[in-house]
Amino acid sequence: SSLFLFPFCLKNTFPVLGFQSNFALFPVAKDAATLQYVARISHGAPLGSTDLVVDLGGSFLWMDCNSGHVSSSYRLISSCSVNCSRAKFHDLGSTSCLLNTNCYVSPYNGVTGSTSMGELVEDVIAVDSVDPSDVGQSTTVDHFLFACALTFHLQGLASGAKGMMGLGKASISLPSQLSSSLGHPQKFSVCLSSSTGVLLTGSGDTVFGTKIARRLAVHEHGKLEAKLSSVVPYTTMVSSVYAIFSKAYVEAATKMNMTRVETVAPFGLCFSSKGPLVPEIDLVLQSEMVKWRIQGRNSMVKVSEESMCLGFLDGGLEQSSPIVIGGLQMEDNLLEFDIGSSMLGFSSSLLLKETTCSSSLQDSTLKQFF
């Protein structure tokens, strides 16, 4: 799956103190046409940049190595190497090897849902490594593993993007590799935004000054499972769940004197934009005390001067997960994914603290990167 899976069950609640060490930083921009989040990576010889669509659950980084920045320093990986075995640990394909053959993996396009064949390669990448005592130091990581895919596999991606940045639990995902190469904790933080966002390996607390005090355990089985997806623009629900949710939302909206208007695809509920208040949405976890509160800015999409639509969609009868939380609902929330312990931490909306991802970054020691 290209999505980061978690059930709404509380493991424990405590402040994350932050890791006082270097962490790598990648600025993230939102593509206006596709609503995808695009990060830039520097790699190769000569050193050049490539834009990649962020995929929270992707197994590894993959790109079209024949267009955009072409590196002369990447090396093919043998099918009989340890690195090939690492890459195929989560792969459904065969793990057998043949001498003098290349390692083939299966890059997954999380936007189209398609898989293709790609060659595993290694190359040098350069990351902005941030230390409280030495801000702005660039660090080179040798032998970084990723896959080369064919150009047609870029279908559906934001214009200019040449692949996808996989951030999942696989041993060769970007956070996993940076953790082992640079000695970072095996975690990453994202703060997505409609303008300037950021992806950090390590804890984001030291950047945003925000305590991530709510943590969720990530298990295979739970009560009502949900997924987080950076490639789905709006939260989607299986039809049975959406029916209950939309009915409750309409009742709450009616009490607040909101006026229904004609729907605009792909949305199911639209309202007149007159009036400043809309219902708040609480994703209630195992404990009533722990909620992910979604404000109007993270729930409503302005479609015209007169109308706005609820950014929660009916995903149909066949949706694999009851709820897939999309990009709009994650924006301006500081999310920390602890890969090592399979935990998710979240801050609740920075908007409640009268700030955003963008303004927090501009006020922080990282402003020179944006």
Side-chain angles (χ1 to χ4, degrees):
S1 172
S2 66
L3 307 168
F4 200 102
L5 175 66
F6 72 97
F8 292 154
C9 59
L10 181 69
K11 181 79 174 272
N12 50 29
T13 303
F14 58 91
V16 176
L17 300 178
F19 188 81
Q20 298 299 316
S21 178
N22 288 7
F23 49 87
L25 172 148
F26 301 89
V28 177
K30 188 174 184 178
D31 179 67
T34 61
L35 306 182
Q36 296 164 13
Y37 302 93
V38 179
R40 179 163 291 179
I41 190 168
S42 297
H43 65 100
L47 199 63
S49 62
T50 297
D51 288 342
L52 303 167
V53 174
V54 175
D55 185 358
L56 283 179
S59 296
F60 48 79
L61 187 154
W62 63 265
M63 68 175 76
D64 174 12
C65 299
N66 295 318
S67 66
H69 175 61
V70 178
S71 169
S72 62
S73 60
Y74 78 82
R75 293 196 315 112
L76 292 164
I77 300 297
S78 164
S79 67
C80 295
S81 68
V82 173
N83 281 333
C84 188
S85 299
R86 281 177 65 200
K88 291 194 170 189
F89 183 74
H90 291 274
D91 201 329
L92 298 178
S94 170
T95 57
S96 62
C97 76
L98 293 172
L99 290 174
N100 302 319
T101 59
N102 299 327
C103 181
Y104 284 93
V105 290
S106 303
Y108 178 74
N109 184 322
V111 175
T112 61
S114 62
T115 302
S116 70
M117 183 173 287
E119 292 180 308
L120 187 69
V121 301
E122 66 176 18
D123 204 348
V124 59
I125 67 167
V127 297
D128 290 321
S129 186
V130 184
D131 186 281
S133 63
D134 188 14
V135 177
Q137 182 66 38
S138 183
T139 300
T140 299
V141 177
D142 296 321
H143 311 297
F144 183 86
L145 296 168
F146 61 95
C148 288
L150 297 174
T151 304
F152 78 86
H153 202 48
L154 300 177
Q155 184 177 357
L157 301 189
S159 177
K162 297 299 181 183
M164 302 193 81
M165 180 185 283
L167 303 176
K169 294 190 68 173
S171 62
I172 65 164
S173 71
L174 179 115
S176 295
Q177 288 197 69
L178 293 185
S179 170
S180 58
S181 297
L182 301 177
H184 295 167
Q186 199 174 2
K187 61 176 68 172
F188 68 93
S189 303
V190 290
C191 202
L192 301 177
S193 169
S194 57
S195 53
T196 305
V198 69
L199 160 69
L200 302 166
T201 60
S203 172
D205 293 4
T206 52
V207 177
F208 291 93
T210 298
K211 294 300 182 193
I212 301 179
R214 299 180 174 90
R215 283 199 165 268
L216 304 176
V218 183
H219 298 298
E220 291 301 319
H221 302 288
K223 291 186 177 178
L224 182 59
E225 290 187 344
K227 295 179 179 181
L228 292 174
S229 173
S230 55
V231 296
V232 174
Y234 310 111
T235 292
T236 61
M237 301 175 171
V238 70
S239 292
S240 57
V241 175
Y242 180 79
I244 298 169
F245 168 78
S246 59
K247 181 181 178 182
Y249 193 90
V250 168
E251 290 175 358
T254 301
K255 291 178 182 177
M256 297 177 71
N257 297 319
M258 292 174 64
T259 304
R260 291 276 300 273
V261 298
E262 188 174 345
T263 57
V264 177
F267 306 103
L269 291 175
C270 297
F271 302 87
S272 169
S273 56
K274 295 176 182 177
L277 298 177
V278 301
E280 293 178 334
I281 300 167
D282 283 337
L283 298 179
V284 181
L285 311 181
Q286 193 175 34
S287 164
E288 281 284 335
M289 296 174 62
V290 182
K291 300 175 182 178
W292 182 331
R293 175 155 290 180
I294 299 174
Q295 308 285 101
R297 190 161 158 183
N298 289 101
S299 65
M300 284 293 178
V301 181
K302 185 177 181 180
V303 294
S304 71
E305 289 299 320
E306 295 79 29
S307 60
M308 57 186 179
C309 298
L310 184 63
F312 288 72
L313 309 182
D314 186 340
L317 299 172
E318 303 299 321
Q319 182 167 298
S320 59
S321 180
I323 303 172
V324 177
I325 298 174
L328 177 64
Q329 283 68 46
M330 289 189 282
E331 286 183 3
D332 296 309
N333 281 268
L334 178 58
L335 303 174
E336 184 182 82
F337 298 84
D338 191 325
I339 299 173
S341 61
S342 294
M343 301 285 283
L344 167 70
F346 65 98
S347 65
S348 287
S349 177
L350 298 177
L351 301 174
L352 298 175
K353 303 172 180 64
E354 298 185 346
T355 186
T356 63
C357 275
S358 299
S359 59
S360 293
L361 290 168
Q362 294 299 332
D363 293 338
S364 76
T365 56
L366 304 184
K367 60 186 176 183
Q368 61 180 303
F369 296 107
F370 297 90

